[in-house]
Amino acid sequence: MAPTDDTEPDTRHAAPPTATTPPPRPPADGAVRVGRMPRWLPRAMVLALALIAAFQLGSWAFHQLTGLLINILIAFFLALAIEPAVSWMAAHGMRRGLATFLVFLGLAVVGAGFVTLLGSMLAGQIITMVEGFPGYLDSVINWINQTFHTQLRRVDVQEGLLHSDWLRKYAQNSAAGVLDVSAQVLGGLFQLLTIMLFSFYFAADGPRLRRALCSVLPPARQAEVLRAWEIAVDKTGGYLYSRGLMALISGIAHYVLLQALDVPYAPVLGVWVGLVSQFIPTIGTYLAGALPMLIAFTVDPWYALWVLVFVVVYQQFENYMLQPKLTSRTVDIHPAVAFGSVIAGTALLGAVGALIAIPAVATLQAFLGAYVKRYAVTDDPRVHGHRPRGRGGPGVLTRVRRLWGP
């Protein structure tokens, strides 16, 4: 039968229509698509915050413990300095702790005796100065009157000083600063006790400390640590030897000057200048020179000026000629390196750095010298600073003659 228009087509074998997904709509204006946070981001943020907190805590603890660390460093070098004496006594059958105690006892007795002798001398000279102050004042007033044609009197000067605002303010400030000075003295004594205690432990338990340090290192590293330790002992001893020799030379030189000026207590003052100027860094020179000037002033004010000039001149001689030569021989470092190490140590740690800079640099130089490969130097005149002739054109004089000649 022929199909008609009213008959529906047969769709059983027709292909199914393809399903199409509608295109995504663009986000509205101003809308931001929010993705999912990576899993590692929270842990990274927590780790970063923990590292920052640990760094801040470590920095705060380091700044709080800087004083203690410096004291331990001083104590370590002091223990290295007395190590030869303690080891020698221990090698002869004495217990190491007893040997260390005897060394410290000897140092304490010598120091106490020197301070007692110096204190009695200083007290006597202060009494003499106070008793002779009117005579000094009269001589100064007479010199001023004769030089400037004035009419000053000692009574007027004394009354002016007693009723001056400067003296009143100075007395008030001195009374207020007594507590500060007392606190500083107590703090200094506690710091000295701390250094001595750590030095005693380092010297008495030196072998135990070396064994504890070497027990966490392989055998090859142990040999290097022990070698560095021995080098440090030798260099520190050499540095103290050079300081002691410079103290002897300085004491003799100042003793000769004070004896020539007929200043009392010249031997004690010579010992004072030698020890203080060499073993108290930075301000030791000024402390050492102030006391002889004060004693010389009680004899004659012009003698104090002569002492000041001699102290300044001798200090320049010591800094630029004597100290570099002795340091280069005893510690075996170049004078320029010694001078630069003192400047660098002062910039880093102040007075303590100036005191321990030279033995520390000498130890480092000697330890690293074993790892530097050296070669034989060729026999060239330029090595010795001789410039070969006949090369590089005519000399300067020849050029000048050619320039000004006809």
Side-chain angles (χ1 to χ4, degrees):
M1 177 190 286
T4 60
D5 295 336
D6 296 335
T7 307
E8 295 182 357
D10 188 7
T11 59
R12 289 178 297 178
H13 302 285
T18 57
T20 59
T21 58
R25 291 182 302 175
D29 295 338
V32 179
R33 184 180 299 274
V34 179
R36 187 176 181 181
M37 180 183 297
R39 295 182 178 180
W40 57 267
L41 185 57
R43 288 179 292 182
M45 294 177 63
V46 172
L47 181 60
L49 292 177
L51 291 177
I52 293 174
F55 175 77
Q56 294 292 336
L57 182 61
S59 177
W60 172 81
F62 177 78
H63 286 293
Q64 294 294 324
L65 298 176
T66 301
L68 178 61
L69 295 177
I70 292 177
N71 292 338
I72 293 176
L73 184 62
I74 298 174
F76 179 72
F77 275 93
L78 182 59
L80 291 179
I82 66 174
E83 176 79 16
V86 174
S87 299
W88 181 84
M89 297 173 70
H92 285 75
M94 186 177 295
R95 295 182 59 184
R96 194 173 182 88
L98 180 59
T100 306
F101 174 76
L102 291 179
V103 171
F104 273 98
L105 182 61
L107 294 176
V109 169
V110 172
F114 177 72
V115 170
T116 302
L117 180 62
L118 188 66
S120 61
M121 178 203 68
L122 186 59
Q125 291 300 314
I126 289 176
I127 293 174
T128 304
M129 272 190 69
V130 172
E131 293 177 350
F133 181 76
Y136 302 141
L137 187 59
D138 287 338
S139 63
V140 173
I141 291 175
N142 292 333
W143 179 80
I144 293 175
N145 290 334
Q146 293 175 3
T147 304
F148 300 101
H149 304 287
T150 58
Q151 299 295 328
L152 292 177
R153 294 185 306 171
R154 188 179 71 182
V155 178
D156 298 335
V157 175
Q158 290 177 349
E159 290 181 355
L161 288 175
L162 292 176
H163 295 87
S164 62
D165 294 335
W166 174 83
L167 185 61
R168 179 175 54 83
K169 293 180 180 179
Y170 179 78
Q172 293 176 354
N173 294 333
S174 299
V178 169
L179 294 178
D180 295 336
V181 173
S182 301
Q184 292 178 1
V185 170
L186 292 177
L189 292 176
F190 179 76
Q191 184 177 4
L192 180 61
L193 180 61
T194 302
I195 293 174
M196 292 300 176
L197 187 62
F198 276 107
S199 299
F200 181 84
Y201 287 147
F202 286 150
D205 292 339
R208 185 183 304 175
L209 180 61
R210 286 191 287 268
R211 285 195 299 268
L213 184 61
C214 292
S215 62
V216 296
L217 298 174
R221 298 298 181 184
Q222 293 179 14
E224 293 179 359
V225 169
L226 294 177
R227 186 171 66 87
W229 196 292
E230 292 301 322
I231 291 175
V233 171
D234 294 338
K235 297 302 179 181
T236 305
Y239 173 70
L240 290 180
Y241 170 74
S242 64
R243 281 296 184 183
L245 189 57
M246 285 191 294
L248 179 62
I249 298 174
S250 177
I252 293 175
H254 287 83
Y255 164 74
V256 171
L257 172 69
L258 296 174
Q259 190 68 29
L261 296 177
D262 200 16
V263 176
Y265 303 103
V268 180
L269 290 176
V271 175
W272 161 265
V273 173
L275 292 179
V276 174
S277 62
Q278 301 304 321
F279 292 100
I280 297 181
T282 308
I283 62 173
T285 302
Y286 308 104
L287 291 177
L291 185 58
M293 288 176 56
L294 181 65
I295 305 301
F297 185 82
T298 62
V299 180
D300 191 338
W302 288 104
Y303 288 176
L305 181 60
W306 281 109
V307 172
L308 175 62
V309 173
F310 182 81
V311 167
V312 173
V313 173
Y314 180 83
Q315 188 63 31
Q316 303 307 314
F317 165 75
E318 181 184 280
N319 289 339
Y320 295 102
M321 296 186 65
L322 184 61
Q323 179 178 352
K325 293 295 183 181
L326 290 178
T327 303
S328 62
R329 292 179 181 272
T330 56
V331 193
D332 195 19
I333 62 176
H334 194 272
V337 177
F339 184 70
S341 63
V342 172
I343 296 177
T346 305
L348 293 175
L349 296 176
V352 177
L355 186 63
I356 67 175
I358 293 179
V361 172
T363 301
L364 182 63
Q365 176 181 335
F367 180 72
L368 296 179
Y371 300 96
V372 177
K373 187 176 181 180
R374 299 183 182 273
Y375 300 91
V377 181
T378 59
D379 191 10
D380 195 311
R382 290 171 293 183
V383 175
H384 305 285
H386 302 296
R387 185 178 180 183
R389 298 180 180 181
R391 298 180 182 179
V396 178
L397 294 178
T398 305
R399 295 175 184 176
V400 171
R401 292 194 190 100
R402 289 179 181 178
L403 181 63
W404 293 99

